[in-house]
Every structure is written in structure tokens, then in C-alpha cells.
Amino acid sequence: MAIERTLSIIKPDAVAKNVVGKIVDRFETAGLKVVAAKLVQLSRAEAEGFYAVHAARPFFKDLVDFMVSGPVFVQVLEGEGAVLKNRDLMGATDPKKADKGTIRADFAESIDANAVHGSDSAENAAIEIAYFFPASQVYSR
Ligand code: IDP
């Protein structure tokens, strides 16, 4: 399988719960490497831009309100099949439906406050990574 990169965001609920390290440990244990990372307070415009694909959805305002409610930990993960591997580690969008042992099953409260974001395709990963990090701040290793 090809070496890929994916964008991961540890959302405000998980940052507030002080489980950033525990979540990063899941990625590292699964063989993914952190090749860029920062803690950032998103502006409304940044959150709206990031989730623009969901702008017409009924939950859009709640989603943006939540994403600006506190700092998020944004990182680029690199490794074999990183996009799918991250999605498997995250679990289903609704933590009630997420498989046991996944990040959302273990750390998320609800479909709104669901601990993590992960790119859903290699194409979207490239767009999402560029949204947060210039190429010079991604350190392949
Ligand atoms: P994903 O994060 O698992 O890829 P998406 O369908 O891309 O899920 O939705 C983006 C985010 O929007 C979700 O992580 C969740 O926080 C929020 N969301 C999705 N569906 C709903 C919903 O039905 N109600 C409330 N929030 C939702």
C-alpha cells in the first residue's frame, strides 16, 4: 500500500478533556507518524471554510459553533494507507455507532462533539492539509 498523508483534527471536546496525547498515541501505535502539528483557535471564517462542503446541511451552524468553542489540535499523519487507517481508528461519525476500541467510541460524547476529524479521501486530504499547513511546515520522515 502507498505511503499517504491525511489531515487529522482533535476537536475542541477532546482538547478540553485533555486527551490529545492519548489520541496521538493511537495513531503512533498504528504506525502513523505525525509530520506536522499545531494547536489553533479557529476563527468562524476558518471553520466555515474548512467545512464548506456541509454549508447547506441543517447541522452546519452547530458544527461551526462547536469547532470554534475552543482550540483544536491539527496534525498531518503519514504512513501506509494513512487515509483509511485514520478513518478506521476514528470509528463512525456517531460515537454510539462506533466500533469498540475506536477513538470516537472511547473519547467522544455525541455526533456533534465527536473528538476527531479525518480526511475521507486522498484528494480531500491534500486540500485539507494545504488549508492548514504550507508545504514547508510538513516534515516527512
Ligand atoms: P466525519 O467527521 O465522520 O467525516 P461528516 O459526515 O463529514 O463526518 O460530518 C462532519 C461533521 O459534522 C461530523 O464529524 C459531525 O461533527 C458533524 N455532523 C455530521 N452529521 C451530523 C448530524 O447529523 N448532526 C450533527 N452533527 C453532524
Side-chain angles (χ1 to χ4, degrees):
M1 204 180 279
I3 299 290
E4 293 177 339
R5 289 176 179 174
T6 191
L7 187 85
S8 165
I9 301 178
I10 301 180
K11 294 184 178 182
D13 57 323
V15 173
K17 280 166 75 176
N18 211 23
V19 292
V20 170
K22 288 195 170 98
I23 292 175
V24 173
D25 182 56
R26 302 279 177 109
F27 300 137
E28 293 186 335
T29 299
L32 296 174
K33 292 179 178 176
V34 177
V35 295
K38 60 185 172 187
L39 190 67
V40 53
Q41 171 66 56
L42 298 180
S43 67
R44 281 201 85 77
E46 285 169 332
E48 286 170 357
F50 183 73
Y51 277 122
V53 65
H54 293 310
R57 308 282 284 276
F59 57 81
F60 183 65
K61 183 180 177 300
D62 287 347
L63 174 60
V64 171
D65 285 347
F66 169 65
M67 290 301 289
V68 303
S69 66
V72 294
F73 189 79
V74 190
Q75 64 201 305
V76 179
L77 303 174
E78 186 178 81
E80 279 195 15
V83 172
L84 199 57
K85 192 176 272 189
N86 181 39
R87 297 289 301 187
D88 286 346
L89 293 168
M90 289 163 57
T93 307
D94 183 351
K96 288 189 213 78
K97 296 181 184 152
D99 287 343
K100 235 177 144 214
T102 60
I103 292 168
R104 282 169 166 163
D106 290 345
F107 299 112
E109 304 302 328
S110 66
I111 195 165
D112 305 272
N114 63 359
V116 278
H117 165 84
S119 307
D120 63 4
S121 67
E123 292 73 23
N124 283 338
I127 294 165
E128 293 180 358
I129 290 167
Y131 195 80
F132 286 105
F133 299 98
S136 62
Q137 287 175 14
V138 182
Y139 301 97
S140 207
R141 58 195 181 88

